[in-house]
Amino acid sequence: MARKNYTDEFRQRAVDLYESTPGAALKAIAGDLGISRGALKEWVDKLGSGATTDGPTPPVAGARPESQGARIVRLEAELAASKAERTKLETERDILRQAAKYFGRGDELVNRFQFVEDHKDAYGVKRLCEVIEIARSSFYAWLAAAPGREARAAADQALAARIRRVQDPEQGGDRAYGAPRVTADLNEGVAAAERVNHKRVARVMGEHQFAGIRLRRRVKTTIPDQSGHRFPDLIERDFSVGEPGRRYVGDITYLPIADGSNLYLATCIDLGSRKLTGWQIAAHMRTELVEDTLRAAVRERGSLAGAVFHSDHGSVYTSKAYVNLCKRLKVIQSMGAVGSSADNSLAESFNAALKRELLEGRPAFGDQATTYRSVFRWANRYNTRRRHSAIGNISPNAYEAALSATLAEAA
């Protein structure tokens, strides 16, 4: 059941994944995506950011042969240039090695400036700024502003000491206080000129890790429906494997981003083979998200006519638009009990596995582009390489291929 036709979006995402993965091999990326190395190379050559050339430049037809003396002069010049380039690269390597420890602290740009200040006598400002990619004018502006920064840093240290006292239970404080309550406590009974801004308090608390006690932020992805649509539970917690293309489950989960925003992933998983047949990411949880996911599953399977799709009672799954789409595609809707996550536990388990394996303990993804690429690769690898205990520790694609071969022999 291997897919032979790929959308333009899939091709472009495959090329983007290859080009954005340092040290990536065509064979490894192609294997994760379930395509041939030749196909991926063709897409990279056609859609990639730039073509490459191999081998020396062919000689110009009719050119005069190079004399022995000219050849010696040319080779000596090339050798001298090579030595100069090697010296330059070794110096840059030494600079970057020493700079690495600076870049891991707090504000990276500020630490680049500090690195130039600390090493300017050894390498010179011009060379340092070129290697670590900052403008000399910016460095000199930062240097000129040093006295003001030192004064602000001293003021922030004094404010941090006051905040520590406000949160210290032994001094009558409360360690559960966050920035708003700390600000109110600091400003109580003081003159207007001495009052502090809550944004500054929040910044200093963040820099010194003076966070108040708070519950972990939760994102609600199941919004109860108001439409009155009700569908019977046709799965009844039977998530056993079997013939593919008969029963599907789906859900929506959030993907946290470091800037505090979220992306949302909707899925359609084949219970028969555990294959992720359709998925979609968006910055919203509108009905279009689950509609696009179901359409992606149709493109993968060719048709979902007569198949059961099981979900929770979220408003997107009971919306008029989604119900009508299921009717047009001849998909039979199924839903578990309201408020029971166990009725859709396989989809919940899939979401947990994706975030556990991609985030690796981190609280969030770096940015939206990284999230798209990570999920794109993981989702395809989930079908092509990831082993599943429920189907004999093979991949969903391998399971479906083996089942298809068995049925063909039986026929």
Side-chain angles (χ1 to χ4, degrees), residues 2-25:
R3 181 173 57 189
K4 296 182 180 180
N5 298 319
Y6 300 93
T7 63
D8 292 340
E9 179 187 9
F10 183 92
R11 293 188 179 95
Q12 191 60 62
R13 285 196 180 280
V15 172
D16 175 64
L17 175 63
Y18 171 73
E19 292 187 336
S20 64
T21 306

Side-chain angles (χ1 to χ4, degrees), residues 8 12 27 55 62 69 116 141 150 160 182 208 221 281 293 297 320 334 349:
D8 292 340
Q12 191 60 62
K27 182 177 180 180
V116 174
E150 292 174 0
V182 168
H208 290 80
T221 55
I281 293 180
T293 301
K320 182 177 180 180
S334 167
S349 176

Side-chain angles (χ1 to χ4, degrees), residues 385-398:
R385 293 191 175 188
R386 194 177 188 276
R387 299 181 184 274
H388 299 259
S389 59
I391 53 176
N393 280 323
I394 59 176
S395 70
N397 281 3

Side-chain angles (χ1 to χ4, degrees), residues 211-231:
I213 297 174
R214 58 187 176 184
L215 295 176
R216 182 178 179 182
R217 178 175 64 97
R218 300 186 63 184
V219 177
K220 189 175 184 180
T221 55
T222 301
I223 302 173
D225 72 283
Q226 305 295 328
S227 65
H229 288 118
R230 293 291 185 270
F231 298 94

Side-chain angles (χ1 to χ4, degrees), residues 45-255:
D45 291 342
K46 182 178 179 180
L47 305 174
S49 58
T52 58
T53 57
D54 297 318
T57 303
V60 179
R64 175 180 291 181
E66 185 179 33
S67 68
Q68 189 69 18
R71 183 168 182 269
I72 292 174
V73 171
R74 177 177 59 80
L75 291 177
E76 288 178 343
E78 290 178 356
L79 180 60
S82 177
K83 289 181 177 178
E85 180 65 18
R86 179 179 178 181
T87 300
K88 178 176 177 289
L89 292 176
E90 288 177 347
T91 302
E92 292 179 354
R93 178 200 62 194
D94 293 340
I95 290 173
L96 291 173
R97 280 179 176 174
Q98 295 181 54
K101 61 183 180 182
Y102 281 74
F103 297 168
R105 318 174 194 157
D107 188 326
E108 184 178 329
L109 181 60
V110 169
N111 290 319
R112 287 173 186 253
F113 292 149
Q114 189 62 57
F115 176 76
V116 174
E117 171 64 12
D118 293 345
H119 296 80
K120 63 183 180 182
D121 294 335
Y123 298 105
V125 172
K126 181 179 179 181
R127 169 61 66 84
L128 288 168
C129 289
E130 289 175 349
V131 172
I132 64 175
E133 299 179 344
I134 59 174
R136 275 184 289 169
S137 59
S138 299
F139 165 71
Y140 286 123
W142 174 84
L143 203 60
R149 282 197 307 276
E150 292 174 0
R152 287 192 296 273
D156 284 349
Q157 286 294 338
L159 178 59
R162 295 172 61 195
I163 294 172
R164 188 180 291 109
R165 287 193 295 271
V166 170
Q167 289 190 319
D168 187 356
E170 295 183 0
Q171 300 187 46
D174 190 332
R175 68 186 185 90
Y177 275 11
R181 287 193 174 103
V182 168
T183 305
D185 205 71
L186 292 172
N187 290 335
E188 185 177 6
V190 301
E194 299 177 0
R195 295 172 66 87
V196 292
N197 183 276
H198 71 279
K199 293 182 180 179
R200 183 185 172 202
V201 171
R203 174 179 59 79
V204 172
M205 289 181 67
E207 291 172 353
H208 290 80
Q209 299 182 349
F210 291 162
I213 297 174
R214 58 187 176 184
L215 295 176
R216 182 178 179 182
R217 178 175 64 97
R218 300 186 63 184
V219 177
K220 189 175 184 180
T221 55
T222 301
I223 302 173
D225 72 283
Q226 305 295 328
S227 65
H229 288 118
R230 293 291 185 270
F231 298 94
D233 185 351
L234 304 178
I235 299 297
E236 296 182 338
R237 301 189 186 182
D238 177 12
F239 303 114
S240 57
V241 299
E243 183 179 355
R246 299 289 186 180
R247 302 181 304 156
Y248 297 85
V249 297
D251 194 17
I252 298 177
T253 189
Y254 76 98
L255 304 173

